[in-house]
Amino acid sequence: MKIKKTGTGAIAALALFGSSFLLGSPTIAGTQQTEPTTTAAVNTLNSAEIQELENFWTEYQVPEATQQALLLKLEQGEMWDSLDPEVSSVHTEKLTTDSENLVIETYPDGSISVSGTSSPQEQEEGISPQSVTDCKQGSGSNNYQIKYVGCKADVNYGLLRMGFNFDYTAYKGAHGVITRHYNSFNTITGGALSNHRFSKMSNSQVRYSADFSVAFEGFPAGWTAWMQANVTGSKAWTTHN
């Protein structure tokens, strides 16, 4: 995968809150959910889980010494800065690949979050919107509006990953509307998520949230993880806690 830098700098935080739901009751199609349990909080990882985290950090060039410090911090019951809503990132890097627009945020303790949305692609001749699995230009596009289907929003902390697919329409005049959301997914190490839900923050913003049922010692009781897709014109990006 070829990666090309497109810029660096701080990204302004968006305070986006709301309670209405998109298209009535939320639908979580394809979510990998874990049933809540009453298991006590733990601070240990097995070798496979540690290797998975190290692979994630190495992919985004987190130094080995920092990786070991983050594992130790977790074992000691301290939340990583990347998962603490009270801590802001100290460095933000934007990257583009052939299929994704990525934002890598680094926090004071060296932990990272990697946010991504699909890069819209022109629809190949003969392929219908129903068959695409990545962000493509759909049928019905014209000089006034462009429809994108199969787009993906994804946020990965290493310990926790959340995302979903969405379709949206970009209208001439630099505004956009999310028309559909579906196929939420998540993976979590050393915990469980419950109460998965979609919320419509506005016509151009949809949020996917879930509650920690079991987590490492150091996470506050009732902690909720959320990530959000936002669109304007032909651009899409994510925000998260």
Side-chain angles (χ1 to χ4, degrees), residues 85-140:
E86 301 298 322
V87 180
S88 299
S89 61
V90 294
H91 179 73
T92 300
E93 185 172 11
K94 294 182 180 181
L95 303 174
T96 60
T97 72
D98 294 337
S99 60
E100 287 184 297
N101 299 307
L102 299 177
V103 176
I104 303 171
E105 295 175 271
T106 303
Y107 293 79
D109 63 356
S111 59
I112 63 172
S113 66
V114 181
S115 307
T117 55
S118 306
S119 300
Q121 304 292 327
E122 294 292 330
Q123 181 181 334
E124 296 180 13
E125 185 176 356
I127 296 182
S128 67
Q130 290 78 15
S131 68
V132 300
T133 56
D134 204 355
C135 200
K136 300 280 187 178
Q137 182 177 319
S139 61

Side-chain angles (χ1 to χ4, degrees), residues 2-207:
K2 183 178 181 181
I3 295 178
K4 177 183 178 182
K5 290 189 178 182
T6 60
T8 60
I11 293 181
L14 301 179
L16 305 169
F17 297 95
S19 58
S20 58
F21 291 97
L22 186 64
L23 303 179
S25 299
T27 301
I28 309 294
T31 302
Q32 304 169 14
Q33 300 188 30
T34 305
E35 289 299 320
T37 72
T38 57
T39 305
V42 294
N43 291 324
T44 58
L45 297 172
N46 61 41
S47 58
E49 291 168 335
I50 292 174
Q51 185 64 59
E52 185 174 351
L53 284 174
E54 290 177 343
N55 289 344
F56 167 71
W57 287 323
T58 299
E59 181 178 358
Y60 295 103
Q61 301 179 347
V62 175
E64 185 175 348
T66 302
Q67 297 182 27
Q68 297 307 309
L70 290 172
L71 289 173
L72 179 61
K73 187 175 183 179
L74 192 67
E75 290 175 353
Q76 293 175 339
E78 299 179 48
M79 180 185 285
W80 294 339
D81 290 345
S82 60
L83 293 166
D84 188 340
E86 301 298 322
V87 180
S88 299
S89 61
V90 294
H91 179 73
T92 300
E93 185 172 11
K94 294 182 180 181
L95 303 174
T96 60
T97 72
D98 294 337
S99 60
E100 287 184 297
N101 299 307
L102 299 177
V103 176
I104 303 171
E105 295 175 271
T106 303
Y107 293 79
D109 63 356
S111 59
I112 63 172
S113 66
V114 181
S115 307
T117 55
S118 306
S119 300
Q121 304 292 327
E122 294 292 330
Q123 181 181 334
E124 296 180 13
E125 185 176 356
I127 296 182
S128 67
Q130 290 78 15
S131 68
V132 300
T133 56
D134 204 355
C135 200
K136 300 280 187 178
Q137 182 177 319
S139 61
S141 298
N142 51 48
N143 291 334
Y144 173 69
Q145 64 181 22
I146 301 177
K147 296 183 177 181
Y148 296 105
V149 295
C151 305
K152 184 178 72 172
D154 186 0
V155 175
N156 191 353
Y157 305 92
L159 195 69
L160 169 68
R161 186 174 190 173
M162 300 177 68
F164 62 93
N165 289 97
F166 64 100
D167 303 341
Y168 72 99
T169 301
Y171 294 95
K172 188 176 181 179
H175 68 283
V177 174
I178 296 177
T179 56
R180 184 185 175 212
H181 61 275
Y182 50 99
N183 289 346
S184 66
F185 60 88
N186 68 80
T187 58
I188 181 172
T189 300
L193 294 173
S194 63
N195 192 23
H196 301 262
R197 67 267 190 194
F198 278 124
S199 301
K200 179 183 178 181
M201 317 309 290
S202 72
N203 285 337
S204 59
Q205 302 162 335
V206 173
R207 179 176 294 186

